[in-house]
Amino acid sequence: MRKNDIAIKIAGLAGDGSLTTGELLSKIFKKMGLYVVIIKDFPSNIRGLPTNLTVRAKDKPVYGPKDYVDYLLALDFQNLPLHTHEVAPGGVIIYDNSTHPEIPEHLKRDDVHYYILPLANLSRENLGLEVIKNVVALGIIAELLNIDHDIAHKAIKEWFKEKGEKIVESNIKAYEFGREKAKELGKKDEYIVENLGDPGRIMMIGNEAIALGALTAGCRFEVAYPITPATEILEFFAKYGREFGAVTVQAEDEIASINFALGAAFAGARAMTTSSGPGLSLKTETLGLAYINETPLVIVDSQRAGPGTGLPTKTEQSDINHILFGGHGDQMRIVIAPATLEEGFYFTALAFNLAEKYQTPVVILTEQAFSQNKYTAEPGSIDPFKVEIDRGKLLSKEDLKRIKKEGRQYLRYEITEDGISPRALPGMEGTIFTANSNEHDETGYTTEDPDMRKAMVDKRLRKYEVAKNSGELPRAVYYGDEDAEIGIIGMGATMGPILEAMEQLEEEGIKARYMRIRTLWPFYDDEVNEFIEKYDKVFVVEMNARAQLLHLIKQFTTKHEKLHPITKYTGRMFRPVEIKEVILKVLQKV
């Protein structure tokens, strides 16, 4: 039997409710003590085109897709040619043949097990409602996998409780109807899932972890223009922000949203704006303004496939160059990249401390695969009580009274050894200063004096060296043995596929050591050079076409002949085997 490691793809049409099956499965698997990841692959139109969701459950932590899915639930004929080839040998295809009774010969496979029945027709004829086929399908899958039916019943009741008892009862009936149909078909495959006991893990999408981290850190102003795949952060604030005293604003466009956030941050609020690549393109000018007038601001860039509109609902990591280097003038910003729910929460809280301490924009760089996919985390691993708030050199009324008593003038942009000036908020007594987009002197007044210009540029740049050496920024984390044969470097949502590719490589007798970069700027060239020095070949895995992470690394290293790119830019996550195959080819093992 194949136990406790299952990937189930539910494929239907956008807007038909078919993904309910996957959402319910994820809740059931979590309650059965399995680690879960939900991988969403949906079109950018609202209705009609094929859409799918893959639920992966395992008795070990998972962060990405398997090489192949074990079960394919095809609720519409259009999905058979799209996904039949993705099913693992020995896997299962459950097909609703209500509209297309026969599977064409060219789509049939001898190495998979078929369960074929007219789900839509059966649901309409026996339960009076065609759309309830999704829960009938859930019953079929549950029976085949030996899922705990008490847990399934509870999940269904919880999911539909707001719609009333009658709806709950009809869905329980549909679930049991599906179970009976599965018994009639008889089990043909070897997959099974055991109830391991519920340890109380949490499950959420990455955007929710970020939003929760922001609220915990004292963010009281979230403003955004809705854009996939970042919108859930705005929605989270709209739903829960008021309970924390937060203001949530849906702005009229991307430029307005960052300008609103900048104004709120200048006034003293912890403020955040959230977007994706096209939105960040529009926000770039204001990023430069925040840099020169040293206003703390947190920005989330949830990357999607571009340029232009690109693939709005698909994942990519192609904003690296833009986020690190976009904008005119010698401006910088701190850029950190989470990969787990825990990091999404804590890095976001940290971002607000960094923004205020160094009085600079801080970008949380994610991607659709992290932002909108759902993951599990251990109970207690996200703890609001562990978040500490540091507002940096924000002056109090007592500080200002002391400055006045000493006969000194308050200088908003005072040139200091660490480059960080004392910060007062507008309206504080004795703190008249100008904050505009021009170069300025220590009071904020516009200047073109060459010596002051150089001093101010040096002052602002100095902050980043201080930040880099502070020990506050997330350093890289490492996986695998230090005496490995090869090295792998990645960031963000490539983590899961890389870790599983390493397991596959070890089965081939090849040990790998993986370095996950978590702060992209300031760039920690020391740790990257030390890592590259240890291995003859280092593979840089990223989801873009131009190997942007690899070229960033090359700017700070000399052993370029050791570096090998592994890129994917189809809008989908890596499968572990895709990483393994490139490595084996370079090593001339295939």
Side-chain angles (χ1 to χ4, degrees):
M1 300 298 290
R2 305 184 189 185
K3 291 183 179 181
N4 304 331
D5 184 5
I6 189 84
I8 303 171
K9 176 163 284 190
I10 296 95
L13 299 178
D16 69 355
S18 56
L19 303 188
T20 297
T21 311
E23 292 286 353
L24 284 168
L25 273 171
S26 71
K27 294 179 180 297
I28 293 166
F29 287 142
K30 184 183 82 71
K31 289 291 186 182
M32 291 176 65
L34 297 166
Y35 294 89
V36 179
V37 58
I38 294 182
I39 300 163
K40 298 177 182 178
D41 184 2
F42 53 97
S44 55
N45 71 320
I46 296 173
R47 298 188 66 88
L49 290 182
T51 186
N52 69 82
L53 177 153
T54 300
V55 181
R56 183 165 182 206
K58 192 176 181 180
D59 53 11
K60 297 178 181 178
V62 286
Y63 302 98
K66 294 180 76 171
D67 292 332
Y68 301 96
V69 297
D70 303 300
Y71 269 48
L72 169 63
L73 171 59
L75 291 166
D76 183 89
F77 176 75
Q78 294 180 59
N79 283 289
L80 279 180
L82 294 176
H83 303 299
T84 292
H85 67 284
E86 298 175 4
V87 181
V92 167
I93 295 177
I94 302 171
Y95 172 51
D96 178 359
N97 68 341
S98 296
T99 58
H100 290 73
E102 297 296 326
I103 299 177
E105 286 297 322
H106 71 280
L107 291 178
K108 291 181 179 178
R109 287 179 53 181
D110 296 331
D111 59 346
V112 300
H113 304 286
Y114 287 92
Y115 299 90
I116 301 173
L117 68 171
L119 283 171
N121 294 343
L122 288 170
S123 299
R124 185 175 58 253
E125 294 164 5
N126 294 274
L127 302 167
L129 191 63
E130 184 175 311
V131 72
I132 213 167
K133 67 180 181 180
N134 305 316
V135 182
V136 175
L138 176 66
I140 292 171
I141 293 171
E143 185 64 29
L144 293 175
L145 292 178
N146 194 38
I147 280 173
D148 188 305
H149 301 301
D150 289 337
I151 292 176
H153 280 205
K154 290 177 183 176
I156 292 169
K157 290 174 182 177
E158 180 68 23
W159 184 267
F160 292 105
K161 67 179 180 181
E162 292 183 1
K163 296 186 177 182
E165 189 60 32
K166 187 176 180 181
I167 298 298
V168 170
E169 290 176 1
S170 65
N171 278 279
I172 294 291
K173 183 179 179 182
Y175 174 84
E176 291 299 327
F177 180 75
R179 286 186 62 194
E180 292 304 316
K181 288 299 171 184
K183 291 175 183 177
E184 292 174 11
L185 292 169
K187 186 169 175 64
K188 306 169 188 177
D189 62 279
E190 297 182 349
Y191 294 93
I192 192 169
V193 177
E194 298 173 312
N195 186 353
L196 305 178
D198 181 13
R201 295 189 186 99
I202 59 173
M203 184 168 63
M204 65 178 77
I205 63 173
N207 278 339
E208 291 171 333
I210 288 172
L212 187 59
L215 283 169
T216 304
C219 177
R220 294 300 176 259
F221 191 81
E222 152 66 1
V223 54
Y225 181 76
I227 184 171
T228 303
T231 303
E232 289 88 355
I233 299 173
L234 180 68
E235 293 172 341
F236 192 97
F237 265 82
K239 186 173 182 180
Y240 300 108
R242 188 173 297 178
E243 298 176 25
F244 291 79
V247 174
T248 306
V249 177
Q250 178 177 319
E252 64 267 32
D253 57 42
E254 296 284 3
I255 298 172
S257 67
I258 192 170
N259 287 339
F260 287 168
L262 183 68
F266 178 71
R270 285 195 153 188
M272 178 172 72
T273 184
T274 50
S275 192
S276 188
L280 265 294
S281 297
L282 294 166
K283 294 178 189 289
T284 302
E285 182 181 7
T286 302
L287 275 175
L289 173 58
Y291 174 79
I292 196 168
N293 65 26
E294 303 187 55
T295 303
L297 185 60
V298 174
I299 304 101
V300 176
D301 177 12
S302 178
Q303 299 169 91
R304 71 191 210 188
T309 305
L311 301 175
T313 61
K314 309 303 180 188
T315 198
E316 209 160 88
Q317 293 175 327
S318 53
D319 292 358
I320 296 173
N321 288 342
H322 182 195
I323 288 302
L324 267 58
F325 309 118
H328 61 286
D330 290 317
Q331 61 175 293
M332 290 188 184
R333 65 221 37 154
I334 294 172
V335 182
I336 52 181
T340 65
L341 292 180
E342 295 90 338
E343 289 180 348
F345 175 80
Y346 289 111
F347 284 14
T348 303
L350 173 64
F352 285 94
N353 286 349
L354 295 173
E356 291 205 300
K357 185 167 183 178
Y358 298 101
Q359 300 173 27
T360 187
V362 177
V363 178
I364 302 162
L365 187 62
T366 70
E367 57 281 288
Q368 186 274 337
F370 173 77
S371 295
Q372 294 188 313
N373 287 345
K374 194 172 285 187
Y375 303 88
T376 48
E378 297 296 346
S381 61
I382 293 178
D383 185 354
F385 294 102
K386 292 181 179 179
V387 172
E388 296 181 359
I389 293 177
D390 182 355
R391 303 207 69 178
K393 292 186 179 182
L394 182 62
L395 297 179
S396 65
K397 291 181 180 179
E398 288 71 26
D399 294 326
L400 292 168
K401 286 178 181 178
R402 187 179 65 254
I403 291 172
K404 184 178 180 180
K405 186 175 180 180
E406 293 172 356
R408 295 188 289 118
Q409 180 185 3
Y410 169 67
L411 300 174
R412 171 64 186 94
Y413 301 104
E414 181 180 349
I415 296 173
T416 61
E417 186 176 345
D418 61 6
I420 305 167
S421 306
R423 177 176 167 236
L425 302 180
M428 282 184 166
E429 186 178 354
T431 61
I432 297 175
F433 64 94
T434 301
N436 60 28
S437 62
N438 294 95
E439 190 56 275
H440 45 258
D441 62 17
E442 290 180 288
T443 68
Y445 284 113
T446 299
T447 182
E448 294 185 4
D449 179 85
D451 293 333
M452 181 56 69
R453 161 65 175 177
K454 183 177 185 305
M456 278 295 164
V457 170
D458 290 344
K459 174 191 117 59
R460 291 189 292 265
L461 294 177
R462 201 153 55 240
K463 294 189 293 186
Y464 293 88
E465 281 303 311
V466 174
K468 182 177 180 180
N469 296 319
S470 68
E472 298 171 294
L473 301 178
R475 300 298 293 256
V477 290
Y478 300 87
Y479 309 83
D481 296 333
E482 286 194 37
D483 61 349
E485 179 182 343
I486 61 169
I488 301 174
I489 298 176
M491 57 163 278
T494 57
M495 179 182 72
I498 290 173
L499 290 174
E500 295 196 51
M502 289 169 63
E503 293 177 3
Q504 295 180 9
L505 286 166
E506 190 154 5
E507 292 174 1
E508 303 270 352
I510 300 168
K511 286 187 176 182
R513 175 84 162 161
Y514 166 36
M515 173 188 190
R516 179 163 63 85
I517 295 175
R518 303 191 296 175
T519 295
L520 275 78
W521 202 267
F523 190 74
Y524 284 106
D525 52 299
D526 55 342
E527 61 184 10
V528 173
N529 274 293
E530 182 181 350
F531 184 79
I532 293 172
E533 190 67 36
K534 294 179 180 178
Y535 308 103
D536 292 332
K537 290 181 172 59
V538 177
F539 298 85
V540 183
V541 181
E542 52 190 307
M543 293 185 287
N544 60 63
R546 295 176 58 199
Q548 295 180 28
L549 181 60
L550 181 144
H551 287 292
L552 172 66
I553 292 168
K554 281 185 174 181
Q555 292 182 46
F556 297 93
T557 58
T558 57
K559 304 291 180 67
H560 296 176
E561 72 282 356
K562 291 187 174 187
L563 300 174
H564 300 270
I566 302 179
T567 63
K568 184 173 183 177
Y569 40 94
T570 62
R572 277 74 179 177
M573 295 180 74
F574 274 102
R575 295 182 296 129
V577 69
E578 294 172 325
I579 298 170
K580 182 191 78 170
E581 287 175 348
V582 173
I583 291 173
L584 291 178
K585 186 175 181 179
V586 171
L587 296 178
Q588 298 182 336
K589 300 285 186 178
V590 293

